[in-house]
Amino acid sequence: MINVFKSLVLCCFIGLLSQTHASERSDLAWQSVEQQHAILIDVRSEGEFSQGHLSNAHNIPHTVIAQQITAITKDKSQPIVVYCRSGNRSGYALQVLQAMGYQQVVNGGGLKEMLASKSH
């Protein structure tokens, strides 16, 4: 019973840490958009994108980011912010873009996270 309680406390603590990290990454993403004119890329599916997205965001699903990024920018020094629903797919897209040589890519996390951070 004590081990279950310890596990529960640990999970709650980790959850709090990830929430703090989440708002920091979305704040950093908005700084990049506002100060460096970063391009916003929503890496969710077309269906998710059509249900709502950030203004001026381009939709390139994470599964095709490597093939379609040059339609948005070929400049590898162009600041880019990627986001999705939770931050997982945008984390993948960030890794792909960095491997391709894009130097200023930020994972903004999830759409709700980005929207909440924007309102601060």
Side-chain angles (χ1 to χ4, degrees):
M1 185 67 158
I2 291 174
N3 286 337
V4 171
F5 179 72
K6 286 181 182 178
S7 295
L8 182 59
V9 169
L10 182 61
C11 286
C12 290
F13 181 71
I14 290 170
L16 289 174
L17 286 177
S18 66
Q19 288 175 357
T20 300
H21 173 69
S23 65
E24 289 174 6
R25 70 182 176 186
S26 58
D27 287 344
L28 179 62
W30 282 119
Q31 285 177 1
S32 185
V33 169
E34 293 165 356
Q35 296 172 5
Q36 299 176 316
H37 306 288
I39 296 170
L40 279 168
I41 301 179
D42 186 322
V43 299
R44 299 175 301 153
S45 69
E46 290 179 24
E48 289 171 297
F49 184 80
S50 69
Q51 292 176 3
H53 57 272
L54 297 175
S55 294
N56 300 318
H58 301 271
N59 181 223
I60 305 177
H62 74 288
T63 55
V64 294
I65 192 84
Q67 295 83 12
Q68 295 185 9
I69 187 61
T70 57
I72 305 299
T73 184
K74 293 177 183 166
D75 180 359
K76 304 246 172 140
S77 64
Q78 168 66 51
I80 298 171
V81 171
V82 290
Y83 73 92
C84 59
R85 183 184 55 80
S86 68
N88 290 331
R89 289 176 281 180
S90 52
Y92 170 82
L94 175 133
Q95 291 176 356
V96 168
L97 292 173
Q98 287 177 333
M100 294 176 67
Y102 287 87
Q103 303 156 9
Q104 297 188 62
V105 185
V106 175
N107 179 358
L111 174 60
K112 288 181 183 177
E113 184 179 334
M114 291 285 293
L115 288 169
S117 184
K118 179 71 172 166
S119 65
H120 286 125

